[in-house]
Amino acid sequence: MTDQTYSPGLKEPVFDSQAIFRAALSALSLPALKFKLSADRLPQQAPLPPLAAGLALTLLDFDSPAWLSPSWSKAAGWLAFHNGVKPAAPGAASFILAAGLTELPALEQLSPGDERCPERSATVIVNCPRAENELPVYAEGPGLKRPRLLPPSGLSSAFVRFWQANHARYPLGLDLIALNGDGLWALPRSAKLSAEPERRAV
Amino acid sequence: MSQPCRRQYLELLTLASSASLRRGLDGYRQNLKYEFIRPPETGLIMVRGRQGNTGALFNIGEMLVTRCAVKHEDHIGQAWVAGRNAAKAELAALGDALAQNRAYAEALAPFFEQLRRERLGRINRETKDIMTTKVNFITMVRGEDKND
């Protein structure tokens, strides 16, 4: 148990979680577009970075087992105290919370849902501070009128290859929420990644 | 009675009337600096049980509870009280935090002693009320099961 296990959660649980949920929903509807959240909506004394802490308190509960990456594992007690979140192995987790891309478990082993219940797939929440992507990547698909360049988040070409396979098994697949400084952007499974945006007749 | 253990005083705090808690703790609430780890929040919990503590687990029903956690100095006080009385949950949580603090233990001892007496009084009263409705069932042995 760390000192932060019993640190406060959201200041205004109803309004703060609604604002955070709105940002996550908007981000998943408009892939690769960053949505900012003001710091006073987020828990500042939590054992997780404010954005990750706020998102975790908004989305997770006792019905959604979560896997925490090594540098965030000390937050397990805090999440259990506030939301009753149970820890799980990566393959059994509804949420994967990772402090960085390098701390992610093998994405292939995460739950993509099944044909009957594709919504039971895992959602990956990963902290991606601003860093150049290995190559410029574009997202296309529902919510995007034209291809949109992904925010610079240190994405590797291996990740892009994984995501192409992830998109191919739609309606199954993972969804990803990237925490990027003061805001978040997302890739739903419906988003297709490519290095070269397709030219489309307008 | 010696200083009760945490389990005992948590029981006293949660089962006390809110008037008694206010009498003993409201002064501390107004004068001490403490922060909310979890502000009072009301919700439903499912009460589960086993018949005779051996049968299969079943849901008895839902119960309204209010929980609260506060931090005073380095002590975390927690409370889960029945009903929707947020002020009571806050006072009970503060009482828990103070009871863990040696600096307040002596000052609070008479208060806990008072809570204990009130609790015993209530149990006695309720037991008396219930006992008047007690019915004894006596089965006459007919003696035909043996040596038949």
Side-chain angles (χ1 to χ4, degrees):
Chain A
M1 192 178 89
T2 63
D3 292 346
Q4 285 172 307
T5 297
Y6 296 109
S7 71
L10 299 172
K11 247 179 283 168
E12 295 279 351
V14 174
F15 299 109
D16 293 348
S17 64
Q18 280 179 355
I20 297 167
F21 190 81
R22 179 75 245 180
L25 193 63
S26 306
L28 282 161
S29 319
L30 300 168
L33 189 62
K34 184 168 160 181
F35 288 83
K36 287 187 179 179
L37 269 165
S38 72
D40 58 352
R41 291 239 175 259
L42 304 169
Q44 298 295 332
Q45 301 164 49
L48 292 173
L51 200 54
L55 199 58
L57 288 190
T58 302
L59 299 181
L60 276 58
D61 69 4
F62 52 89
D63 269 340
S64 56
W67 180 85
L68 293 162
S69 79
S71 14
W72 282 0
S73 58
K74 61 181 189 301
W78 183 76
L79 287 172
F81 172 73
H82 282 289
N83 284 23
V85 178
K86 292 175 184 130
S94 307
F95 285 94
I96 301 290
L97 277 81
L101 289 164
T102 52
E103 288 198 17
L104 281 177
L107 294 173
E108 293 78 9
Q109 71 180 57
L110 305 182
S111 162
D114 57 54
E115 276 83 358
R116 265 197 191 176
C117 304
E119 77 279 9
R120 295 217 179 129
S121 63
T123 301
V124 178
I125 298 173
V126 57
N127 194 36
C128 301
R130 195 184 162 82
E132 283 311 304
N133 292 331
E134 209 167 285
L135 60 170
V137 195
Y138 294 83
E140 299 172 62
L144 296 168
K145 204 166 184 181
R146 51 184 71 84
R148 181 178 287 135
L149 189 64
L150 291 195
S153 311
L155 298 176
S156 67
S157 46
F159 173 82
V160 175
R161 273 197 305 282
F162 167 79
W163 200 265
Q164 284 161 343
N166 187 51
H167 172 73
R169 55 186 171 171
Y170 189 87
L172 306 188
L174 311 178
D175 304 304
L176 177 130
I177 301 178
L179 312 177
N180 190 239
D182 56 351
L184 50 91
W185 59 271
L187 280 181
R189 64 195 81 176
S190 58
K192 190 175 158 189
L193 295 189
S194 55
E196 282 285 314
E198 282 169 33
R199 291 256 164 248
R200 268 189 263 173
V202 181
Chain B
M1 192 181 144
S2 60
Q3 176 73 8
C5 70
R6 189 171 184 207
R7 188 198 141 107
Q8 288 167 324
Y9 63 67
L10 275 176
E11 184 183 338
L12 292 175
L13 286 167
T14 16
L15 295 175
S17 70
S18 52
S20 325
L21 289 187
R22 222 174 309 125
R23 215 177 316 117
L25 295 169
D26 207 48
Y28 294 106
R29 186 183 65 81
Q30 288 174 20
N31 298 320
L32 295 180
K33 264 182 81 87
Y34 60 94
E35 63 168 335
F36 284 115
I37 304 295
R38 177 156 59 200
E41 52 189 23
T42 302
L44 288 173
I45 58 165
M46 177 61 77
V47 182
R48 312 179 82 190
R50 295 178 196 279
Q51 226 160 36
N53 204 23
T54 52
L57 202 60
F58 69 98
N59 296 339
I60 297 172
E62 284 176 326
M63 179 182 174
L64 195 66
V65 296
T66 303
R67 63 179 184 179
C68 177
V70 301
K71 184 176 183 178
H72 173 255
E73 290 173 6
D74 278 338
H75 302 281
I76 311 278
Q78 305 233 31
W80 293 60
V81 301
R84 60 171 83 243
N85 191 337
K88 182 182 173 186
E90 182 181 341
L91 284 173
L94 180 63
D96 177 33
L98 296 180
Q100 295 169 56
N101 195 334
R102 283 174 182 281
Y104 294 91
E106 205 168 318
L108 283 173
F111 166 63
F112 280 114
E113 183 53 32
Q114 172 73 17
L115 287 190
R116 199 177 63 86
R117 250 181 283 126
E118 286 173 12
R119 169 115 185 91
L120 285 177
R122 203 159 53 237
I123 291 175
N124 285 339
R125 237 181 0 261
E126 284 170 4
T127 315
K128 244 185 238 157
D129 287 351
I130 293 165
M131 287 310 279
T132 59
T133 67
K134 186 176 174 183
V135 178
N136 287 317
F137 290 93
I138 300 162
T139 311
M140 304 295 279
V141 181
R142 294 200 289 181
E144 60 200 19
D145 295 335
K146 279 180 190 169
N147 310 323
D148 205 11

